[in-house]
Amino acid sequence: MHYETSVPTVLDRFIQQAVMQVLQRRWDRTFSPHSYGFRPGRSAHQAVAQAQQYIAEGYRWVVDLDLEKFFDRVNHDKLMGRIANRVEDKRLLKLIRAFLNAGVMENGLVSPSVEGTPQGGPLSPLLSNLVLDEFDRELERRGLRFARYADDCNIYVRSERAGQRVMKSLTRFITKKLKLKVNATKSAVARPQERKFLGFSFKVGPEVKRVIAPKALDRFKHRIREITRRAKSVSMQTTIEELAPYMRGWRNYFGFCETPEVLVSLTRWIRLRLRAARWRQWKTPRRRRAALIALGVRPRLASNTAASGRGPWYLARSKALSVGLSNAYFKSRGLPTLIDGC
């Protein structure tokens, strides 16, 4: 089997997918219940909910472990040894070895890879769970409370001192036993509300609540700004068609938060950006007045608003634009909301 890069070809992906389905059926039931990534019937939301439960039970310090370039650092011989313990068929072992030796791009040149599972390959997530199963078992043996999703693992303890001790001993275990490396700059012992786990963080008070992590909010706003900035040169419908799938996907994932007010304010902010973009499109007072009247705004209000010297962002909040470009208007054009009833 010949590969030109570590990105699998269509045929390779098809074969990997078939191998993965067979092996996953056999292996999945043997994996830890605390492992949530790339497994049938398991999700990131379940991992976040499990973390939330630990915090609610009084484990209010987190050992946040990040494995450095995990996919690139998996040792092939060690991995093949683990697979051979579970697979007897020599042809299947040979095929998996061929996938692993697919070669990676280095400065534009192809070289056979000695470490790393081919990223993007359907088999990679299953093999990563196999590698980290040893890590899961070690955490269970020590009686630690943890949730792992792929190479993102959070361990919950009762004190900072316990956290530092766990961090030190697990770093040693990961380095010496698993031959992997902990990314020290991305790992930390901290309060859960200071860290993010799978895009979420936690608000700790009388109740522990799931909140959207600040970085995830920043990324969302950055993407919305990118799309709505282009709105001045394309139709409103085109902009909404670009926004809609992104907003729906984001809502499906981050709607799991327990701070609905954030989702309400983000939905309102998106509509304001669209109103401001539409106002810019109309350009002249005459066109603005005509457009507002066509949208059902009373002529006098339309005239006063069109004659205003205020900027688009200020006028996006005006009564005329709220009436002409109402919530119902955006809904009729297919713009989703981030929460029902908003």
Side-chain angles (χ1 to χ4, degrees):
M1 190 170 295
H2 176 70
Y3 292 83
E4 300 209 339
T5 73
S6 63
V7 178
T9 65
V10 174
L11 180 59
D12 295 336
R13 288 186 76 89
F14 179 77
I15 297 167
Q16 279 198 44
Q17 185 71 33
V19 171
M20 185 276 288
Q21 284 172 347
V22 170
L23 296 181
Q24 188 155 49
R25 275 198 297 273
R26 289 188 207 164
W27 295 357
D28 192 73
R29 61 180 175 270
T30 71
F31 291 152
S32 165
H34 303 284
S35 157
Y36 294 91
F38 310 114
R39 296 182 62 190
R42 297 188 145 245
S43 68
H45 285 171
Q46 289 173 338
V48 172
Q50 178 65 83
Q52 182 181 14
Q53 192 181 325
Y54 291 142
I55 300 163
E57 287 167 3
Y59 295 87
R60 300 212 163 176
W61 285 88
V62 62
V63 180
D64 186 354
L65 272 171
D66 184 273
L67 298 176
E68 193 172 282
K69 291 187 177 172
F70 170 71
F71 275 105
D72 302 338
R73 290 185 177 275
V74 175
N75 182 285
H76 286 182
D77 292 332
K78 190 172 169 58
L79 175 54
M80 285 308 301
R82 303 207 66 184
I83 296 169
N85 288 338
R86 292 172 176 244
V87 173
E88 288 179 10
D89 190 320
K90 295 281 190 286
R91 290 166 307 171
L92 185 52
L93 289 172
K94 198 173 172 185
L95 182 63
I96 295 169
R97 172 68 86 167
F99 283 132
L100 290 175
N101 292 340
V104 293
M105 295 293 287
E106 283 181 0
N107 302 322
L109 301 169
V110 180
S111 66
S113 56
V114 185
E115 293 185 333
T117 57
Q119 247 177 320
L123 198 52
S124 299
L126 180 64
L127 296 183
S128 76
N129 275 334
L130 179 63
V131 170
L132 291 174
D133 188 54
E134 191 177 345
F135 179 58
D136 295 341
R137 298 307 172 194
E138 178 65 16
L139 295 179
E140 287 173 353
R141 191 183 66 74
R142 297 181 186 197
L144 291 166
R145 282 149 186 83
F146 71 99
R148 181 179 67 75
Y149 191 98
D151 53 352
D152 201 345
C153 183
N154 276 8
I155 301 144
Y156 294 86
V157 293
R158 287 194 185 272
S159 70
E160 185 178 14
R161 197 172 160 199
Q164 296 295 357
R165 195 170 59 241
V166 167
M167 174 69 89
K168 196 174 173 183
S169 65
L170 284 180
T171 300
R172 197 164 52 239
F173 175 82
I174 289 163
T175 312
K176 298 271 194 300
K177 196 90 198 299
L178 300 183
K179 305 286 186 234
L180 296 169
K181 195 176 175 186
V182 172
N183 185 331
T185 55
K186 288 188 179 176
S187 301
V189 175
R191 292 290 193 182
Q193 52 270 46
E194 293 164 15
R195 305 297 293 175
K196 64 178 175 61
F197 183 45
L198 304 172
F200 290 90
S201 189
F202 301 96
K203 196 168 153 188
V204 180
E207 278 184 88
V208 179
K209 284 189 172 181
R210 298 184 295 270
V211 301
I212 302 166
K215 275 189 180 172
L217 280 174
D218 290 345
R219 273 196 301 273
F220 176 76
K221 286 186 161 184
H222 178 73
R223 182 81 184 105
I224 297 296
R225 283 190 187 102
E226 272 184 342
I227 297 169
T228 51
R229 248 182 229 125
R230 294 196 290 273
K232 44 186 180 203
S233 54
V234 296
S235 73
M236 178 65 75
Q237 199 55 44
T238 301
T239 302
I240 287 173
E241 280 168 14
E242 195 176 351
L243 282 171
Y246 179 67
M247 287 174 68
R248 275 195 290 269
W250 200 85
R251 175 187 169 153
N252 286 345
Y253 188 74
F254 286 104
F256 189 59
C257 75
E258 293 173 310
T259 47
E261 64 281 5
V262 173
L263 302 177
V264 169
S265 68
L266 283 174
T267 302
R268 287 177 180 160
W269 174 75
I270 292 166
R271 290 191 196 119
L272 286 174
R273 287 196 65 83
L274 289 172
R275 287 180 186 124
R278 198 80 171 109
W279 186 252
R280 286 189 188 95
Q281 274 186 343
W282 292 331
K283 287 180 182 168
T284 65
R286 195 174 162 186
R287 278 184 67 191
R288 285 167 175 169
R289 180 182 181 275
L292 287 172
I293 290 171
L295 286 165
V297 177
R298 291 196 319 275
R300 190 172 171 188
L301 180 58
S303 298
N304 289 344
T305 309
S308 170
R310 298 279 196 171
W313 189 240
Y314 180 89
L315 289 169
R317 292 176 168 80
S318 70
K319 188 178 179 187
L321 266 76
S322 299
V323 169
L325 300 173
S326 64
N327 297 356
Y329 167 88
F330 288 121
K331 188 180 179 182
S332 72
R333 296 294 187 283
L335 184 75
T337 62
L338 298 174
I339 190 166
D340 289 333
C342 172

